Amino acid sequence: MTGEQRMDRQVADYDAPVRGDPITGERYYAKRWADAEWDKVWTRVWHIGGMAADLIEPGDFLTHHIGRESVVMLKQEDGSVRAFYNACLHRGYRLAWTEIGGAPQLVCGYHGWRYNPDGMLAHVQDPEDFAGGSPCGKHRLTEIACEVWGGFVWFNMDKDAGPLRAWLGEKVASHLEQWRMDRMTRVYAVVSDVPCNWKIIRDNFNESYHLPTLHPQISTVINDDHTDCVFHIHARTGHNMMRMKGLQPSARYDTRNKLDIPLAQALEYWGLDPADYRDTAMDARDAIIRRKRAVGAAKGYAHYAAMGDEEIVDYFHFTLWPNITFTMWPDGAQVLRSEPHPTDPERCLFDHWFIAHPIGDSDVVIGPNGPTPFEQVDREHIVFGEKTLGDVADQDLSVAIGQQQGLHSRGFRGGILANQEKRVQFFHEKLNDVCGIHD
Ligand code: FES
Ligand SMILES: [Fe+2]
């Protein structure tokens, strides 16, 4: 791929040039890449630390580990959230050991030092035994940048971090805000230890070229034809977006106008007769948009009022630099994140969450695993293969593991990409520049 080639349906303002750097296998297993990524990427970007809804009282906390680092985010008296490195100032013992917790003070389990929610040291054993008198009130946990946005608590370890919104970019932030993630509830959250480098999962989410081969089951309700997709690359921030039409069969097949059962069920749900679309399935999407507009609020879909016609029927797939994907459904969002394993470049931690709006007074919502109880859940930790992550995610990860094997081959020469995979190329060129590795 060269810089002159453009992605299909690429909007010119959001079509960043690429150089054609080879994407060699080494970056997916070499320690020098993992070390550079820690120094230049992970310690300098915004991370999701957890769900703001889990912080209610002052002293409630979230923890999140990234690499060998751990961060604790604490609810303050004034309702704000502050983040600190999760290490005791006395001798370094990790302070908070659960992902969600709360107490008036954070108590170290080694010698009992206690910290207020603002990070200030408040109690030590034998305070008179310290040179210069009690250390209480003189030392505060090391603080890092922290913000709440979209229902998530975010942190950034960079001492010079700018505001989260500047990192998101106005175009991406204001578009994502249409879905009101801050009003959604996390109903599914599994993190899986997967035997592949974190970037293999990124690459997968940075292209839709794999859909016909890997996810053929969705081709009757999601139009994966690349000429019908819209792609944006945001050169400054490194984020990107892809829109695929929903409730429309893939235009790539001659059978596209044949109505399949899932689309017939959607028509019926929205009060339309499937018989009218038996041989015109491509037209179902527009008809459902009109029905959603007409009766959505009455059926419990009040959130559609703030959304555009495309947003209430299509899939908007945002990948934020470097490692967070939000796949926006009309009624919810998948959070798909890959983070590096603390020590092994050939493993990563893959988060798959689903956050959703309530639908009327229904006690279930439809998520990536089908009907899902509408109740807030904690994050469950598994090793890949122990249980399903949903059909589509299982399919994606199964090839990720196989790709990790193939990328070790001396026969792999650095990738041959289609135009519609330009987001993959852009991602790696940005990574090369940020890490300062160009060989
Ligand atoms: S390490 Fe925390 S009190 Fe000693
Ligand atoms: Fe996929």
Side-chain angles (χ1 to χ4, degrees):
M1 172 181 285
T2 68
E4 292 83 60
Q5 290 174 300
R6 302 179 83 80
M7 292 169 71
D8 298 280
R9 299 293 306 278
Q10 178 74 52
V11 177
D13 286 352
Y14 305 113
D15 189 11
V18 292
R19 302 181 292 258
D21 297 1
I23 306 169
T24 53
E26 188 220 358
R27 68 183 53 223
Y28 297 95
Y29 52 80
K31 187 168 180 309
R32 74 164 181 149
W33 272 95
D35 290 346
E37 288 162 1
W38 179 255
D39 288 342
K40 309 287 191 190
V41 180
W42 302 118
T43 51
R44 301 186 186 205
V45 297
W46 285 93
H47 299 273
I48 292 177
M51 305 301 295
D54 287 321
L55 301 178
I56 299 160
E57 304 284 336
D60 285 358
F61 67 79
L62 301 167
T63 62
H64 185 67
H65 309 324
I66 171 85
R68 284 181 158 168
E69 194 53 89
S70 178
V71 169
V72 58
M73 293 145 274
L74 282 145
K75 184 90 163 182
Q76 305 294 301
E77 291 286 346
D78 67 359
S80 64
V81 183
R82 292 169 74 171
F84 306 90
Y85 287 114
N86 187 13
C88 182
L89 296 176
H90 177 223
R91 299 250 308 281
Y93 189 70
R94 183 165 284 178
L95 281 169
W97 286 88
T98 54
E99 283 193 2
I100 301 171
Q105 290 181 318
L106 211 48
V107 182
C108 182
Y110 193 175
H111 310 89
W113 283 26
R114 294 186 210 153
Y115 299 86
N116 288 334
D118 67 358
M120 183 58 77
L121 180 61
H123 170 86
V124 301
Q125 181 181 301
D126 304 333
E128 73 289 350
D129 194 32
F130 289 80
S134 171
C136 295
K138 296 178 186 163
H139 301 282
R140 192 189 297 273
L141 294 174
T142 306
E143 186 164 9
I144 57 175
C146 184
E147 292 195 35
V148 175
W149 179 86
F152 306 100
V153 179
W154 302 73
F155 67 85
N156 189 329
M157 294 181 272
D158 187 346
K159 284 202 282 296
D160 301 318
L164 175 66
R165 202 175 181 88
W167 173 82
L168 288 167
E170 189 54 34
K171 172 86 177 168
V172 166
S174 57
H175 195 182
L176 280 171
E177 282 166 353
Q178 272 197 32
W179 282 267
R180 296 307 306 254
M181 288 195 286
D182 56 316
R183 294 184 183 172
M184 293 183 186
T185 295
R186 187 172 71 177
V187 298
Y188 173 77
V190 176
V191 56
S192 180
D193 187 328
V194 186
C196 71
N197 183 271
W198 68 277
K199 296 186 291 294
I200 289 184
I201 293 177
R202 287 301 97 207
D203 295 348
N204 180 266
F205 291 129
N206 275 331
E207 51 93 353
S208 51
Y209 187 55
H210 68 276
L211 266 61
T213 307
L214 205 54
H215 313 307
Q217 75 275 20
I218 61 177
S219 68
T220 57
V221 282
I222 296 180
N223 185 353
D224 62 17
D225 189 278
H226 66 102
T227 62
D228 276 325
C229 291
V230 173
F231 305 99
H232 290 177
I233 293 174
H234 297 271
R236 180 185 69 81
T237 59
H239 311 322
N240 69 63
M241 189 280 288
M242 173 193 65
R243 183 201 26 121
M244 271 193 300
K245 288 179 180 170
L247 298 179
Q248 183 171 81
S250 172
R252 62 172 73 239
Y253 305 110
D254 291 342
T255 53
R256 58 186 167 271
N257 263 317
K258 282 236 119 353
L259 188 65
D260 195 23
I261 291 168
L263 190 48
Q265 288 171 335
L267 285 160
E268 231 163 16
Y269 180 86
W270 288 102
L272 294 160
D273 185 355
D276 294 342
Y277 298 89
R278 191 170 294 135
D279 299 309
T280 53
M282 295 294 282
D283 297 337
R285 173 179 173 274
D286 285 350
I288 292 173
I289 290 172
R290 289 192 291 274
R291 290 297 294 166
K292 285 188 169 191
R293 283 274 170 248
V295 302
K299 281 174 79 77
Y301 296 79
H303 54 281
Y304 289 170
M307 296 164 66
D309 284 355
E310 294 174 348
E311 285 77 7
I312 65 172
V313 71
D314 294 338
Y315 292 84
F316 285 77
H317 181 84
F318 291 84
T319 291
L320 307 186
W321 168 262
N323 70 325
I324 297 168
T325 295
F326 293 124
T327 299
M328 311 308 294
W329 303 22
D331 308 319
Q334 282 170 281
V335 180
L336 302 152
R337 168 172 70 177
S338 55
E339 295 186 314
H341 183 273
T343 55
D344 185 351
E346 302 207 51
R347 285 163 67 189
C348 72
L349 297 157
F350 172 66
D351 270 290
H352 186 195
W353 306 353
F354 190 66
I355 59 176
H357 284 293
I359 304 302
D361 50 17
S362 172
D363 54 8
V364 296
V365 290
I366 305 301
N369 294 306
T372 305
F374 186 76
E375 57 194 23
Q376 188 172 314
V377 296
D378 295 347
R379 190 165 169 247
E380 179 185 357
H381 293 250
I382 67 164
V383 172
F384 181 70
E386 282 180 349
K387 62 188 288 188
T388 181
L389 294 167
D391 290 349
V392 173
D394 286 346
Q395 289 165 333
D396 285 326
L397 292 185
S398 66
V399 295
I401 294 164
Q403 195 181 359
Q404 183 73 37
Q405 310 302 313
L407 288 167
H408 276 279
S409 174
R410 280 167 289 184
F412 179 69
R413 299 198 299 268
I416 302 165
L417 302 188
N419 288 333
Q420 62 189 284
E421 297 176 286
K422 188 173 180 180
R423 290 172 295 149
V424 176
Q425 186 71 30
F426 179 82
F427 169 87
H428 285 284
E429 294 186 3
K430 182 172 173 77
L431 190 70
N432 293 347
D433 293 346
V434 169
C435 290
I437 301 178
H438 290 96
D439 57 351

